[in-house]
Amino acid sequence: MTLDDQMSQETAQTPQGTEQQTPPQTWQERFKSFLSRGWFNDLDETITRPNFRFNIMGVECVPSGEITAVSGKAGAGKSTALAILVGVLIGRTDFAGIRCVTPCRKVLWIDTEKGEYTCQQKMSVFRRVANIDSSKRLEDVGVNFALMRQETTEDRLLFVDALAQLDNYDAIVIDGIFDLTKDPDKEYSPVTDLMRRLADKGASVFAMLHTNKSDDNMRYALGTELQRLATTRLDVEFKGGQHIIRHTKSNDSALAPEVAFVFDEVGNVVPASQSPEVKAEEVAEANREELRNLMVAAFGEAETMRSTDIMNRVMQIKNCKERTAKSRISEAKAKGIIKVAPKGSEYVLSGY
């Protein structure tokens, strides 16, 4: 029996008077489509090595047309790291040893997690890194930014796919792929399929996802699949008063050295090498890191919080009295770990 005969037996007759539905492809049909593409020709001159888009501390990495996973725990600085990477891409500048090797014409930037205020703060970081002043809109410099926090989960996935078809983007940034599915353990394939299609089209895809609280693995089955698909992984960690970008996976080059950035006293993001010298006292450094971790835990998934709500959460987490909680909050304010949000009665975590 031929392959065509096998397929004809599997095709059901459409009942008379009913609309004909397109049957799902059988494996034989998929196999014939696969064969129609022909055998691989290793002498094809159109096959070229990837155009590396970044050079980090002298190592070429993060190739174009590939998927890059950006991961880390809450408050580590993942969104800020993305802002730095896009700032280097568009501005063709150098930041903390991260240099743009190939030019980037246009970027589609999706944020599924944050509100307008936090996204505005992230854009201020991007503008500083890319040397773009407030006289130019994002679109004027080749960045189409879409905020999708208010959209439904189903629409987010559809909208990202549709937006990507509107132009030939060099890079597509998805800040929060977790929010593209309701079940990241069972319904993740539409998300990973989308990322694969975008990369196959030639775009560099930067996908951000949180890591587990207990280890450095990316969350859920979605994270496991992203780790497999990504040719490059960049982990972001807050340690010793610095936000550290660590290159932990590469399919095409050696691993690059880690780079670090900090926020200065007025909120600007600067390379750690240009920041004021870190205090020598290890106790003071450990205290600040512990205090920041406490504030991150208190905020949880909330973008802004009232002072009384922060206090109640700190009392719950530390099992302490109100006076101690107030003292810790005052210390966090003084050290710039939390700051006043546009709504005067609320606070926001610094470093996003």
Side-chain angles (χ1 to χ4, degrees):
M1 182 181 292
T2 66
L3 187 61
D4 287 333
D5 292 332
Q6 288 178 327
M7 289 191 298
S8 64
Q9 285 187 2
E10 291 187 12
T11 305
Q13 296 292 328
T14 304
Q16 188 174 5
T18 62
E19 292 186 6
Q20 184 173 358
Q21 301 293 325
T22 302
Q25 278 195 327
T26 64
W27 76 266
Q28 292 94 339
E29 289 172 316
R30 295 194 300 272
F31 183 63
K32 287 186 69 175
S33 177
F34 166 76
L35 288 179
S36 69
R37 294 197 291 269
W39 302 109
F40 173 71
N41 176 14
D42 67 314
L43 301 178
D44 185 353
E45 295 182 356
T46 64
I47 302 173
T48 58
R49 94 189 265 270
N51 291 319
F52 283 91
R53 198 167 294 287
F54 285 115
N55 180 299
I56 299 180
M57 302 293 284
V59 177
E60 285 188 341
C61 54
V62 192
S64 57
E66 302 287 349
I67 298 173
T68 296
V70 179
S71 62
K73 293 180 172 51
K78 298 182 296 298
S79 291
T80 302
L82 284 172
I84 290 171
L85 294 174
V86 180
V88 172
L89 275 177
I90 291 293
R92 299 169 180 79
T93 57
D94 180 286
F95 183 92
I98 304 175
R99 182 169 60 87
C100 177
V101 178
T102 51
C104 184
R105 179 187 62 88
K106 202 157 192 177
V107 175
L108 173 62
W109 197 339
I110 308 293
D111 192 296
T112 65
E113 293 186 342
K114 306 300 181 185
E116 293 182 356
Y117 173 72
T118 306
C119 288
Q120 187 180 56
Q121 297 303 105
K122 182 163 56 178
M123 290 304 98
S124 68
V125 172
F126 159 71
R127 287 179 180 274
R128 292 188 188 103
V129 174
N131 296 317
I132 298 168
D133 59 40
S134 58
S135 66
K136 294 183 179 179
R137 295 172 59 87
L138 295 175
E139 302 96 297
D140 298 334
V141 296
V143 175
N144 290 346
F145 190 93
L147 193 158
M148 292 193 178
R149 183 181 181 182
Q150 303 300 325
E151 311 303 330
T152 64
T153 304
E154 293 83 357
D155 280 350
R156 287 172 189 155
L157 187 66
L158 292 171
F159 290 178
V160 172
D161 199 358
L163 287 173
Q165 309 309 316
L166 296 179
D167 209 328
N168 291 320
Y169 292 101
D170 295 316
I172 298 175
V173 179
I174 308 176
D175 194 343
I177 63 169
F178 170 82
D179 296 294
L180 298 181
T181 177
K182 286 184 176 179
D183 189 340
D185 271 325
K186 297 180 180 178
E187 299 178 6
Y188 61 85
S189 58
V191 181
T192 53
D193 288 348
L194 171 61
M195 289 190 291
R196 189 185 292 109
R197 290 200 307 274
L198 298 178
D200 288 344
K201 191 180 176 183
S204 296
V205 180
F206 295 85
M208 191 276 281
L209 187 64
H210 295 280
T211 54
N212 297 321
K213 293 182 179 180
S214 57
D215 55 43
D216 293 328
N217 295 321
M218 287 182 280
R219 293 182 184 178
Y220 310 106
L222 173 60
T224 301
E225 185 66 5
L226 174 60
Q227 172 66 16
R228 188 186 69 82
L229 286 178
T231 59
T232 303
R233 178 174 172 179
L234 300 173
D235 289 337
V236 186
E237 178 186 11
F238 182 76
K239 185 177 182 180
Q242 300 178 348
H243 300 271
I244 300 169
I245 303 175
R246 187 174 293 112
H247 186 203
T248 61
K249 179 186 177 183
S250 176
N251 287 8
D252 302 289
S253 67
L255 294 179
E258 64 185 35
V259 297
F261 63 92
V262 297
F263 289 85
D264 63 18
E265 294 179 355
V266 294
N268 294 324
V269 60
V270 296
S273 60
Q274 298 177 13
S275 65
E277 192 172 348
V278 180
K279 293 182 179 180
E281 299 85 352
E282 294 183 2
V283 174
E285 180 180 302
N287 179 62
R288 190 181 191 285
E289 188 165 347
E290 183 275 331
L291 184 59
R292 179 178 176 80
N293 291 338
L294 175 60
M295 291 298 111
V296 169
F299 272 75
E301 299 297 326
E303 184 175 345
T304 61
M305 288 185 73
R306 295 181 302 172
S307 180
T308 53
D309 293 333
I310 302 174
M311 181 185 67
N312 290 333
R313 285 287 295 138
V314 170
M315 290 171 62
Q316 180 182 358
I317 294 169
K318 301 295 289 184
N319 192 25
C320 63
K321 295 182 179 180
E322 181 177 318
R323 183 175 63 181
T324 303
K326 285 183 177 179
S327 174
R328 299 296 276 163
I329 294 171
S330 297
E331 189 180 357
K333 294 177 189 175
K335 293 186 176 182
I337 296 172
I338 60 175
K339 59 185 178 181
V340 178
K343 296 180 180 180
S345 61
E346 297 185 350
Y347 289 85
V348 64
L349 278 169
S350 298
Y352 284 93

